[in-house]
């Protein structure tokens, strides 16, 4: 089959590696990072041009199956994928679940997270496209970690740490201690929870931004489950 994976995540790369020997795989990346980790198989980069552009691309490339393996917060791309006529599977890793001792404050948006802050030292791991939402909080000091530099408007008291995971609990522990962090603001992305484990240990308050709702349709939590789902599809 000709499979298009909407990627930009670890799970998307895992799936491409798993099925590249069985199917013709094309992974699509948005093009947000300048040196992305490349998956197995073919890669294309850049937006399609909305729902119509994606539908045209699927037809041109004779795509049989679409796998939406985008990040849980890439809501626009997921909505476009859900509107396609070809069989579509959502591959979405599970969100985080609080452990005993965790005191997470869940909020619905980055703006709500910014409003929930009290003065203090804040570690932002919400992504460079969200840092502007904290620009008005002159009473806070921010450490923002992102793969690419954030664009203005930016908070006045901001240090940017350009880095890309995976991160270790030990490393996160040192980061929180070294910068005397009071609050961690993060998205409920799921996956490695090193920063949450370190925050728990140090009693750092956590503000967790909830995921947008999942579009309707079949969904699996792992690349292995997605590969199995594809194997069960009648061949085209
Ligand atoms: P978004 O807001 O849902 O997407 C905005 C537009 O970017 C889409 O309408 C689409 O443009 C294009 N796009 C997004 N993902 C694409 C893909 N895989 N291939 C081709 N075009 C894509 O998404 P976003 O939050 O900007 O995320 C962009 C990419 O970064 C995604 O692939 C996602 O997996 C990855 N990512 C996002 C986050 C996050 O926190 N949002 C974190 C880590 C990685 P057209 O309408 O023109 O097709």
């Amino acid at each position: 089959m000709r499979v298009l994976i909407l990627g930009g995540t670890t799970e998307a790369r895992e799936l491409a590696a798993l099925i590249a020997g069985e199917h013709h795989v094309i992974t699509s990346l948005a093009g947000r990072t300048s040196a992305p980790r490349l998956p197995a198989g073919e890669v294309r980069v850049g937006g399609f041009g909305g729902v119509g552009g994606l539908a045209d691309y699927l037809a041109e490339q004779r795509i049989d199956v679409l796998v939406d393996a985008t990040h849980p917060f890439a809501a626009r791309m997921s909505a476009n994928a859900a509107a396609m006529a070809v069989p579509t599977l959502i591959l979405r890793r599970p969100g985080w679940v609080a452990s005993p001792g965790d005191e997470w404050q869940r909020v619905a948006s980055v703006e709500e997270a910014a409003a929930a802050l009290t003065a203090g030292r804040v570690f932002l791991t919400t992504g460079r496209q969200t840092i502007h939402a904290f620009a008005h909080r002159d009473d806070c000091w921010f450490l923002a970690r992102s793969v690419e530099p954030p664009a203005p408007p930016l908070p006045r008291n901001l240090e940017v740490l350009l880095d890309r995971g995976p991160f270790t609990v030990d490393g996160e522990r040192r980061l929180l201690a070294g910068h005397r962090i009071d609050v961690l603001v993060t998205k409920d992305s799921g996956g490695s929870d090193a920063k949450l484990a370190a925050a728990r240990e140090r009693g750092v308050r956590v503000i967790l931004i909830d995921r947008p709702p999942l579009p309707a349709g079949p969904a699996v939590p792992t690349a292995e489950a997605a590969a199995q789902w594809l194997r069960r599809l009648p061949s085209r």
Side-chain angles (χ1 to χ4, degrees):
M1 291 189 298
R2 293 179 63 82
V3 182
L4 176 65
I5 302 175
L6 301 173
T9 58
T10 305
E11 292 71 22
R13 277 196 307 280
E14 287 172 355
L15 178 61
L18 277 174
I19 65 169
E22 294 169 62
H23 304 289
H24 182 96
V25 181
I26 307 174
T27 296
S28 175
L29 302 174
R32 303 275 189 275
T33 47
S34 48
R37 292 189 180 126
L38 292 177
E42 208 176 302
V43 176
R44 68 159 303 282
V45 180
F48 297 95
V51 171
L54 179 58
D56 289 347
Y57 180 85
L58 297 182
E60 277 159 24
Q61 294 292 324
R62 293 172 288 105
I63 298 297
D64 299 304
V65 189
L66 180 59
V67 180
D68 168 13
T70 52
H71 190 271
F73 285 79
R76 200 136 45 100
M77 189 71 255
S78 287
N80 292 355
M84 294 300 111
V86 300
T88 300
L89 176 69
I90 301 170
L91 166 53
R92 198 69 92 248
R93 59 184 175 232
W96 286 311
V97 178
S99 301
D102 279 330
E103 281 185 40
W104 298 347
Q105 180 179 359
R106 286 190 173 267
V107 294
S109 64
V110 185
E111 291 70 26
E112 249 185 58
L117 288 175
T118 45
R121 297 176 67 83
V122 184
F123 181 27
L124 296 178
T125 67
T126 46
R128 60 136 174 191
Q129 296 180 84
T130 62
I131 310 301
H132 64 89
F134 301 87
H136 61 291
R137 292 304 305 253
D138 289 346
D139 53 336
C140 297
W141 179 90
F142 294 97
L143 174 68
R145 182 169 66 194
S146 56
V147 179
E148 303 279 334
L154 295 171
R156 191 193 311 166
N157 310 308
L158 171 71
E159 186 175 322
V160 175
L161 177 61
L162 297 180
D163 205 354
R164 161 151 75 181
F167 302 105
T168 64
V169 178
D170 201 38
E172 301 295 60
R173 203 182 273 139
R174 269 182 278 136
L175 199 76
L176 296 181
H179 290 91
R180 293 177 287 113
I181 297 297
D182 306 307
V183 190
L184 164 67
V185 182
T186 191
K187 288 174 169 170
D188 187 4
S189 306
S192 160
D193 67 346
K195 56 183 175 263
L196 292 168
R200 184 180 307 130
E201 265 180 36
R202 295 190 55 80
V204 165
R205 182 182 162 213
V206 175
I207 299 177
L208 201 59
I209 301 165
D210 276 334
R211 294 172 169 209
L214 209 61
V220 292
T222 62
E224 288 77 11
Q228 279 170 24
W229 187 91
L230 288 170
R231 277 179 209 123
R232 285 197 297 268
L233 267 191
S235 57
R236 276 140 214 280

